[in-house]
Amino acid sequence: MKTLYSFTVILGLSFFVSSYSKIENTNFLYTKTPNAAIINTTPNDDQNEISNDFFKRYSDLKKYKSDVMSLYKNRSLGTIWYDEDQINEFASALYQKAKKTNDLVIPYQKEIDQLFDSSATTNLSKTDADILLSSLYIVYAKKSTSDSSKKVSYDAMLKDFMNYSTIEETTTVSTNEKVEFDQYYKLQDVLKKYKKLEKSSKWQPIVTETPYKDLRPDAVSNTIAQVRTRLYLLGDLKQDSKSNVYDRELMDAVMKYKVRNGFKPNYILAEEHIKEMNVPISDKVKTLQLNMERCRTIAAEIAGKDEYVLVNVPSFELIYVKNGKVQLKSSVFVGAPLTKTTIFNGEIDRIVFSPYWTVPQSIVENELKSKIAADPNYLAEKNMEIVNGQVRQKPGPENSLGLVKFMFPNPDDIYMHDTPAKTLFDFEKRTFSHGCINVKMAKELAAAMLKDYPEWTQEKIDSAMAGKTEKSFKLAKKVPIYITYFTSLVNENGEIGFFQDVYERDQESVSQSVVSN
């Protein structure tokens, strides 16, 4: 039984996979790319010139021009349907669905068909091909919905793909905080930026003084100037003054850097922070690519769920989502390297208040026996008892499971629970448990999950948590839980975060890739 402490997660994931599961496993490579302009990186006049030229040549699409160009508005990258020179699976899904739609007339179908025929050649530039596919999406979307007022934008288009198993269905865009399902594409955007940075000569190792001393506000050091340049390249600083003084401007940038990467939010620059800044940009590129692949394995499952809990181990964070909105975020701590938290999906079927903690026999043998032998009062002092030959801890505020636990059947006997050890959430690397997930805001999570149960008032919840006997409540509707392992994610502010590879799963994946190649 894996127990003791618990962990939590975050994430806004991505990439709608189920739409692609039936598509033939074919790589569509576009090899001819003359005039492959990036639409949004050119000045406005050039953008207009490009679009005007396209719709002049493809006059049957002119009536869709405004909607088509809306897809490219505020895009950090121009092309939508390409990854480098390769048509992506997003485009393949659109093509397959469009062809299967009854009575849909596909404009310039011959040109579009050639893009998805690996044996065909085409004279289309990447820019023309991308706008042509965007036009196909608009034609398809207008055929698939009766809502003429539906907003056309890149984000709305993504939601069509991410939130439903078919893009014929409509979606309502809320101004409230939404769960992002386009994590795959957000990581993809970051990847392209990092690849450009990798090709430049700007990324240089930060050289520190020996022995290293923590850098604090008002410090003066050559290292400070190098850190300033690094944070400018990463986007945490708007300008690089080259100053070697740890000033207010740099303090704000350091805080931004630390928060998005899961470090403790303070202004101290320890050696470990410099070490993380010095991770080669090529390694960051590999991390982004690896996590994009991880998005594929989970996004399709999450896309159809209106309620779920998601725990991301590397970022030590949990989110609870209901009706497409984030209801709660919480810090967590997870299994130690020798008692790792298992990465899997399950369903929460019970909430248990004032739980007993049945101590795993391994803990009894390895940890408790010697303590009991040395102190006859040990069990009583720890509010423990022996029942049917098993050691268990009685309910109470000092119980190792805290005041509430969340059960989801699984062969490893992992569950989520509260904990009295709140100080452990102050650590940056939170791998303390025997496998279970310890949730900082467990009480709040229980209250949020019970909002649809009128009998569970806040008063009743508080009373159940303060009980002297265990009380279990079976949920009428099971809540999916996803325990994930993402070492890079883009947050709700569009900022990339890189997290600790606490279980060395990234290293294993890279090693397997090398072997397979």
Side-chain angles (χ1 to χ4, degrees):
M1 179 183 192
K2 295 185 177 181
T3 305
L4 255 190
Y5 301 118
S6 196
F7 70 68
T8 184
V9 86
I10 78 170
L11 166 66
L13 286 167
S14 115
F15 198 71
F16 186 79
V17 174
S18 65
S19 294
Y20 313 135
S21 60
K22 297 182 181 179
I23 297 175
E24 293 182 3
N25 185 21
T26 305
N27 290 326
F28 301 106
L29 184 63
Y30 181 78
T31 56
K32 191 170 183 178
T33 59
N35 304 317
I38 300 298
I39 296 167
N40 75 305
T41 57
T42 55
N44 288 335
D45 289 345
D46 288 348
Q47 291 181 32
N48 292 333
E49 184 178 343
I50 290 172
S51 63
N52 289 338
D53 176 64
F54 175 88
F55 289 104
K56 182 178 180 180
R57 289 182 287 111
Y58 296 89
S59 57
D60 290 351
L61 298 172
K62 193 170 184 178
K63 59 184 176 181
Y64 305 116
K65 178 180 177 181
S66 177
D67 287 336
V68 169
M69 299 315 294
S70 293
L71 298 179
Y72 296 96
K73 187 177 181 181
N74 298 325
R75 286 273 292 146
S76 59
L77 294 166
T79 55
I80 293 174
W81 311 98
Y82 280 84
D83 296 341
E84 299 297 336
D85 288 340
Q86 188 172 352
I87 288 181
N88 58 34
E89 291 183 66
F90 197 12
S92 302
L94 171 63
Y95 178 66
Q96 293 291 331
K97 287 180 176 293
K99 288 185 66 177
K100 293 177 182 178
T101 301
N102 294 331
D103 302 324
L104 178 67
V105 177
I106 300 179
Y108 302 100
Q109 181 165 354
K110 179 181 178 181
E111 288 84 349
I112 292 176
D113 286 343
Q114 288 178 338
L115 296 175
F116 296 92
D117 184 351
S118 58
S119 63
T121 57
T122 177
N123 293 321
L124 286 176
S125 69
K126 188 194 295 184
T127 299
D128 278 1
D130 205 76
I131 301 177
L132 196 59
L133 289 171
S134 293
S135 302
L136 174 61
Y137 170 76
I138 296 299
V139 172
Y140 177 82
K142 289 183 178 294
K143 173 70 175 179
S144 304
T145 180
S146 58
D147 184 3
S148 60
S149 65
K150 183 177 177 181
K151 182 181 178 181
V152 177
S153 69
Y154 178 73
D155 289 340
M157 180 185 65
L158 284 181
K159 288 180 172 64
D160 277 343
F161 279 88
M162 305 306 163
N163 292 343
Y164 300 97
S165 58
T166 63
I167 62 176
E168 288 91 334
E169 299 180 66
T170 60
T171 180
T172 301
V173 180
S174 171
T175 56
N176 295 322
E177 184 179 21
K178 303 289 288 185
V179 182
E180 295 292 342
F181 288 99
D182 59 348
Q183 188 66 218
Y184 177 93
Y185 298 102
K186 289 184 175 184
L187 289 172
Q188 185 181 75
D189 283 358
V190 175
L191 175 63
K192 292 187 178 183
K193 295 175 184 177
Y194 273 60
K195 280 187 172 181
K196 288 182 180 179
L197 193 55
E198 182 182 20
K199 293 177 181 178
S200 75
S201 59
K202 297 178 181 179
W203 189 278
Q204 299 295 328
I206 297 173
V207 180
T208 61
E209 300 171 0
T210 304
Y212 183 85
K213 294 182 179 180
D214 288 352
L215 297 171
R216 301 170 185 270
D218 297 327
V220 179
S221 169
N222 289 332
T223 303
I224 293 294
Q226 297 175 72
V227 168
R228 190 183 299 275
T229 298
R230 178 57 44 81
L231 295 184
Y232 167 71
L233 292 175
L234 293 175
D236 298 304
L237 266 175
K238 293 184 178 180
Q239 60 182 4
D240 183 4
S241 68
K242 309 295 184 182
S243 171
N244 62 357
V245 179
Y246 195 164
D247 55 16
R248 178 78 251 180
E249 182 182 46
L250 186 60
M251 288 169 63
D252 293 340
V254 167
M255 182 64 74
K256 185 177 180 181
Y257 172 84
K258 283 193 161 190
V259 169
R260 68 180 175 84
N261 287 292
F263 290 114
K264 195 170 182 177
N266 59 36
Y267 299 118
I268 301 172
L269 280 172
E271 190 169 15
E272 64 181 300
H273 303 130
I274 304 299
K275 183 178 179 181
E276 201 282 333
M277 289 182 188
N278 271 337
V279 172
I281 193 71
S282 58
D283 288 359
K284 297 288 189 182
V285 166
K286 292 176 183 176
T287 297
L288 291 166
Q289 292 171 328
L290 180 59
N291 285 279
M292 285 172 64
E293 290 305 309
R294 286 174 175 153
C295 286
R296 297 172 185 266
T297 66
I298 190 172
E301 295 184 41
I302 286 183
K305 306 298 182 184
D306 61 355
E307 181 181 18
Y308 61 87
V309 171
L310 190 146
V311 177
N312 189 48
V313 171
S315 58
F316 308 111
E317 205 168 6
L318 169 151
I319 61 169
Y320 169 56
V321 174
K322 191 169 185 178
N323 298 325
K325 302 174 187 176
V326 175
Q327 303 293 324
L328 179 142
K329 293 183 181 182
S330 175
S331 297
V332 297
F333 63 83
V334 298
L338 293 178
T339 53
K340 298 175 183 176
T341 297
T342 307
I343 309 303
F344 73 104
N345 305 336
E347 290 184 316
I348 301 172
D349 62 358
R350 283 176 295 145
I351 299 178
V352 181
F353 299 98
S354 299
Y356 285 98
W357 177 43
T358 301
V359 184
Q361 195 58 34
S362 60
I363 297 178
V364 173
E365 295 291 335
N366 298 329
E367 300 177 28
L368 296 189
K369 270 192 173 181
S370 59
K371 295 177 180 178
I372 294 171
D375 181 3
N377 297 319
Y378 181 83
L379 289 178
E381 292 171 353
K382 298 298 181 182
N383 200 28
M384 291 181 174
E385 61 185 1
I386 298 178
V387 178
N388 297 326
Q390 290 186 307
V391 177
R392 72 177 187 180
Q393 191 175 31
K394 300 176 185 178
E398 298 305 316
N399 185 288
S400 292
L401 303 186
L403 304 178
V404 61
K405 68 177 179 179
F406 306 83
M407 304 299 293
F408 38 97
N410 62 87
D412 294 310
D413 201 15
I414 289 174
Y415 46 88
M416 295 193 304
H417 61 82
D418 183 27
T419 176
K422 302 298 185 185
T423 57
L424 294 179
F425 292 108
D426 294 333
F427 287 80
E428 287 182 347
K429 185 176 181 179
R430 299 192 291 273
T431 52
F432 304 117
S433 82
H434 285 65
C436 283
I437 303 167
N438 289 239
V439 184
K440 184 177 183 179
M441 298 179 65
K443 294 190 293 183
E444 293 84 351
L445 177 61
M449 291 178 65
L450 291 173
K451 281 188 176 180
D452 286 344
Y453 299 85
E455 69 273 26
W456 281 98
T457 62
Q458 188 61 54
E459 183 180 5
K460 183 176 179 180
I461 292 172
D462 293 341
S463 176
M465 289 185 181
K468 294 186 180 297
T469 58
E470 184 175 280
K471 185 178 182 65
S472 179
F473 177 69
K474 186 175 182 179
L475 297 173
K477 180 184 177 183
K478 297 177 182 178
V479 178
I481 179 170
Y482 303 93
I483 304 174
T484 64
Y485 197 91
F486 287 89
T487 49
S488 64
L489 287 172
V490 178
N491 65 22
E492 60 271 20
N493 298 320
E495 301 163 343
I496 184 65
F498 290 92
F499 310 111
Q500 301 174 60
D501 184 14
V502 290
Y503 295 159
E504 299 183 348
R505 291 171 68 96
D506 282 14
Q507 295 183 29
E508 293 173 6
S509 298
V510 171
S511 298
Q512 291 171 3
S513 175
V514 171
V515 171
S516 64
N517 290 334

